[in-house]
């Protein structure tokens, strides 16, 4: 069985996912077959595997950092929030239903065999498993429900733990000390080391605090990770990417920040293009006069369309479109651009509502979820001929009454729609290959009377590989990896002795 290390955090957003990705990359660089694992993930950014199963985007990123194909066993339980108290439950890539929080906590322990089975299956194939926790292990109100999330999972698989705190938010010593203090003794004993993340400045100024923290907790500080500029896809809508100010560039792309936005990582490749500036907009006042408006995916198309309507963004987008501003919709955004959305089975909010009317399409929602990876060739001008790879993940089907399809899928089916300067597609990941990114940049620059910059456009995958290496370099230089390896070896021996 594989050795393992678990990364837990003092809070959501402490940097667990990125540290886990860095460890996946480092262990791969060191010659070990490595796989990520997260028993339960809650996020709207999901990924579809090659065999058409759904998993958390963070574990797909970690798998890529490890140089392996994403596998649904790496995230056996995925919760996709659909309201403040309810989520769609996905187990081993398949939808199990809709659950309110209380109902899910009541049945959660019944999922342990499937979660543990997924872990053991991976552990039989790889040398090291990098496990990511969720939220904080010190949520004492939820301790009884921690079957396979934080310390519950660490106990199930006998994993040593790195506890990570975020110094960028402030109060990191209180975060780490308070978390350790609220744990049971057996839980504290499992922590192999503390890690301070996102540090800016001179480490020597931290030394007195580090010594005091070690004295008070009895746990060594194994690393102070610097704030890194590595550009790694984010896990969910709490991402700083959605709030930061984009560097001003020649072409202005406005992505509508829907309340239930999902898979916004579709647009990461656009951000790395030197001519394209991407910003996220959630008000009509902030929309301005962009060169392209993008409607992204969403977990709740009809509710988010209603939000657009109520806050004035729909009217602002329609006004821009009437004056010739291009509009692109992806997945839920594509559905919104149509003429009618119907929900006869109550998948979203029941009934029907008018769409934005920019594409000659009608969508009917149904409980069946489409999940598939595919390649496609764009057929709509001015992007015709661009070869793209992507994946579908949506509820319902859309019928095009007129216009032309956006692209043709590898199996011959038509996808999406195009009418004039308005485009829609179900394909997530459409900009990953770089071909459509370049066609889009050339077209938008030409509309402004500008020539494209010379030189080939780097594929997003090649860009990601460089970012994983940058992240790994930052962590390798600031984390006591000898101590991490020693902890994994120590717990592996304990597991073997227990078996004997």
């Amino acid at each position: 069985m594989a050795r393992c290390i678990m990364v837990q955090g003092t809070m959501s957003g402490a940097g667990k996912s990125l540290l886990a990705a860095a460890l996946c990359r480092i262990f791969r660089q060191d010659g070990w077959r490595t796989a990520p694992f997260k028993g339960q993930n809650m996020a709207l950014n999901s990924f579809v595997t090659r065999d058409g199963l759904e998993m958390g985007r963070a574990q797909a990123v970690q798998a890529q950092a490890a140089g392996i194909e994403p596998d649904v066993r790496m995230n056996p339980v995925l919760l996709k929030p659909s309201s403040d108290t309810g989520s769609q439950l996905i187990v081993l890539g398949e939808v199990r239903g809709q659950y309110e929080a209380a109902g899910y906590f009541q049945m959660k322990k019944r999922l342990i065999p499937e979660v543990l089975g997924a872990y053991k299956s991976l552990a039989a194939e790889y040398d090291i498993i990098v496990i990511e926790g969720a939220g904080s292990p010190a949520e004492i109100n939820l301790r009884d429900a921690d079957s396979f999330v934080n310390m519950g999972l660490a106990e199930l698989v006998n994993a040593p733990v790195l506890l990570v705190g975020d110094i960028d938010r402030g109060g990191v010593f209180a975060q780490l000390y308070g978390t350790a203090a609220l744990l049971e003794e057996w839980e504290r004993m499992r922590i192999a080391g503390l890690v301070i993340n996102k540090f800016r400045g001179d480490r020597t100024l931290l030394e007195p605090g580090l010594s005091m923290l070690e004295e008070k907790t009895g746990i060594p500080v194994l690393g102070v990770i610097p704030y890194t500029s590595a550009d790694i896809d984010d896990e969910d809508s709490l991402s700083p990417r959605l709030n930061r100010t984009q560097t001003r560039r020649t072409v202005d792309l406005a992505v509508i920040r829907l309340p239930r936005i999902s898979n916004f990582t579709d647009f990461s490749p656009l951000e790395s293009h030197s001519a394209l500036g991407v910003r996220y907009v959630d008000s009509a006042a902030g929309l301005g006069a962009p060169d392209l408006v993008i409607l992204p995916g969403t977990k709740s198309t009809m509710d988010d369309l209603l939000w657009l309507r109520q806050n004035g963004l729909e009217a602002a987008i329609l006004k821009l479109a009437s004056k010739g501003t291009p509009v692109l919709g992806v997945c839920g955004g594509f559905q919104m651009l149509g003429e009618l959305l119907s929900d006869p089975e109550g998948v979203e909010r029941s009934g029907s509502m008018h769409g934005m009317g920019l594409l000659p399409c009608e969508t009917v929602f149904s409980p069946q979820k489409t999940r598939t990876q595919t390649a496609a060739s764009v057929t709509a001008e001015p992007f015709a001929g661009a070869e793209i790879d992507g994946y579908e993940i949506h509820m319902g089907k859309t019928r095009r009454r007129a216009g032309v399809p956006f692209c043709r899928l590898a199996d011959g089916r038509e996808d999406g729609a195009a009418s004039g300067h308005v485009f829609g597609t179900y394909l997530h990941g459409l900009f990953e290959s770089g071909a459509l990114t370049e066609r889009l940049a050339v077209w938008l620059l030409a509309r402004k009377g500008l020539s494209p910059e010379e030189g080939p456009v780097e594929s997003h995958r090649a860009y990601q590989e460089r970012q994983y290496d940058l992240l790994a370099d930052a962590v390798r230089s600031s984390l006591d990896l000898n101590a991490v390896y020693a902890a994994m070896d120590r717990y592996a021996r304990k597991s073997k002795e227990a078996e004997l």
Side-chain angles (χ1 to χ4, degrees):
M1 297 290 284
R3 293 176 291 170
C4 62
I5 186 72
M6 186 170 193
V7 180
Q8 297 184 17
T10 57
M11 66 180 84
S12 294
K16 299 183 297 292
S17 296
L18 287 185
L19 181 55
L23 290 173
C24 284
R25 190 61 158 202
I26 288 169
F27 295 146
R28 176 199 178 191
Q29 291 171 341
D30 289 352
W32 301 105
R33 295 173 302 163
T34 306
F37 184 83
K38 186 167 186 172
Q40 173 189 292
N41 198 348
M42 177 177 279
L44 288 177
N45 275 2
S46 59
F47 179 85
V48 174
T49 63
R50 197 174 297 277
D51 49 357
L53 299 173
E54 190 174 0
M55 63 184 287
R57 180 82 187 183
Q59 281 61 63
V61 166
Q62 291 159 6
Q64 291 166 356
I68 59 175
E69 184 77 19
D71 185 315
V72 74
R73 293 175 296 171
M74 299 167 185
N75 175 215
V77 176
L78 173 63
L79 295 169
K80 301 188 75 173
S82 52
S83 69
D84 289 342
T85 60
S87 296
Q88 183 183 69
L89 171 63
I90 297 167
V91 180
L92 293 171
E94 301 280 3
V95 177
R96 287 280 176 92
Q98 192 77 19
Y99 284 82
E100 292 298 305
Y104 173 67
F105 283 125
Q106 288 177 0
M107 60 81 65
K108 186 175 177 180
K109 289 186 178 180
R110 298 203 299 269
L111 299 175
I112 290 177
E114 291 173 285
V115 172
L116 198 53
Y119 177 86
K120 288 182 176 179
S121 177
L122 285 174
E125 297 175 15
Y126 292 91
D127 301 316
I128 297 176
I129 307 295
V130 178
I131 309 167
E132 181 187 344
S136 163
E139 303 291 351
I140 54 179
N141 58 312
L142 301 176
R143 177 167 282 148
D144 291 341
D146 183 15
S147 308
F148 48 79
V149 179
N150 288 306
M151 288 299 181
L153 179 59
E155 185 179 24
L156 280 174
V157 302
N158 197 28
V161 172
L162 297 177
L163 181 62
V164 184
D166 177 4
I167 195 171
D168 197 50
R169 296 190 188 185
V172 72
F173 295 114
Q175 291 175 37
L176 292 166
Y177 175 77
T179 299
L182 285 172
L183 297 177
E184 300 289 344
E185 179 62 24
W186 68 266
E187 295 173 318
R188 280 194 297 274
M189 294 290 291
R190 197 171 281 281
I191 301 177
L194 307 175
V195 179
I196 292 177
N197 198 23
K198 306 181 189 177
F199 178 66
R200 310 173 197 246
D202 183 353
R203 177 184 164 137
T204 59
L205 298 177
L206 284 181
E207 293 298 340
L210 300 181
S211 299
M212 188 178 295
L213 184 62
E214 291 181 332
E215 179 184 340
K216 288 185 174 295
T217 62
I219 304 169
V221 176
L222 296 187
V224 177
I225 311 297
Y227 201 105
T228 173
S229 60
D231 184 13
I232 309 294
D233 281 348
D234 298 294
E235 180 176 20
D236 56 34
S237 56
L238 295 177
S239 165
R241 182 186 297 271
L242 299 184
N243 295 314
R244 72 188 184 199
T245 302
Q246 178 66 36
T247 302
R248 182 173 294 278
R249 293 178 179 170
T250 308
V251 177
D252 178 25
L253 310 183
V255 180
I256 305 302
R257 183 177 177 175
L258 301 168
R260 301 160 189 84
I261 188 172
S262 64
N263 292 68
F264 58 84
T265 49
D266 287 340
F267 315 113
S268 298
L270 300 177
E271 296 182 30
S272 61
H273 192 286
S274 60
L276 305 179
V278 179
R279 57 190 175 93
Y280 290 83
V281 177
D282 59 7
S283 68
L287 183 58
D291 299 302
L292 172 70
V293 176
I294 299 177
L295 285 167
T298 166
K299 183 65 178 65
S300 301
T301 302
M302 296 175 81
D303 282 341
D304 279 358
L305 177 56
L306 183 62
W307 174 83
L308 281 177
R309 204 155 274 167
Q310 291 172 338
N311 77 356
L313 263 170
E314 180 189 38
I317 294 169
L318 292 176
K319 184 176 180 180
L320 287 173
S322 69
K323 294 181 178 179
T325 299
V327 180
L328 168 67
V330 178
C331 198
F334 164 43
Q335 294 171 335
M336 292 181 188
L337 291 175
E339 297 170 337
L340 184 66
L341 296 91
S342 302
D343 187 12
E345 300 185 60
V347 174
E348 289 211 352
R349 56 180 291 128
S350 299
S352 62
M353 62 190 301
H354 292 293
M356 296 175 70
L358 293 176
L359 287 175
C361 300
E362 297 180 357
T363 296
V364 178
F365 293 101
S366 63
Q368 292 73 37
K369 178 178 279 192
T370 299
R371 303 183 309 262
T372 183
Q373 279 193 17
T374 185
S377 179
V378 180
T379 53
E381 295 295 347
F383 317 119
E387 300 295 326
I388 59 179
D389 296 304
Y391 57 95
E392 292 183 70
I393 178 170
H394 57 90
M395 314 286 276
K397 294 185 177 180
T398 299
R399 181 177 67 89
R400 177 175 52 82
R401 293 190 304 96
V404 297
F406 179 76
C407 63
R408 188 172 297 277
L409 306 181
D411 62 6
R413 290 183 295 124
E414 295 178 344
D415 168 77
S419 179
H421 53 276
V422 180
F423 312 90
T425 176
Y426 269 122
L427 286 188
H428 293 289
L430 66 167
F431 296 110
E432 294 273 343
S433 70
L436 183 57
T437 303
E438 181 59 15
R439 295 287 182 95
L440 179 67
V442 168
W443 180 55
L444 293 176
L445 285 166
R447 284 172 57 90
K448 296 169 72 78
L450 301 172
S451 300
E453 298 180 7
E454 295 183 1
V457 175
E458 181 181 34
S459 74
H460 189 55
R461 187 57 189 272
Y463 176 79
Q464 286 177 313
E465 288 295 307
R466 288 197 295 108
Q467 301 309 306
Y468 294 142
D469 286 336
L470 286 173
L471 178 65
D473 290 346
V475 171
R476 186 186 287 277
S477 65
S478 52
L479 181 67
D480 187 347
L481 285 169
N482 288 332
V484 174
Y485 274 115
M488 291 194 296
D489 289 340
R490 185 167 65 252
Y491 274 80
R493 286 195 301 270
K494 288 181 181 179
S495 294
K496 191 171 183 64
E497 289 168 1
E499 291 175 4
L500 296 175

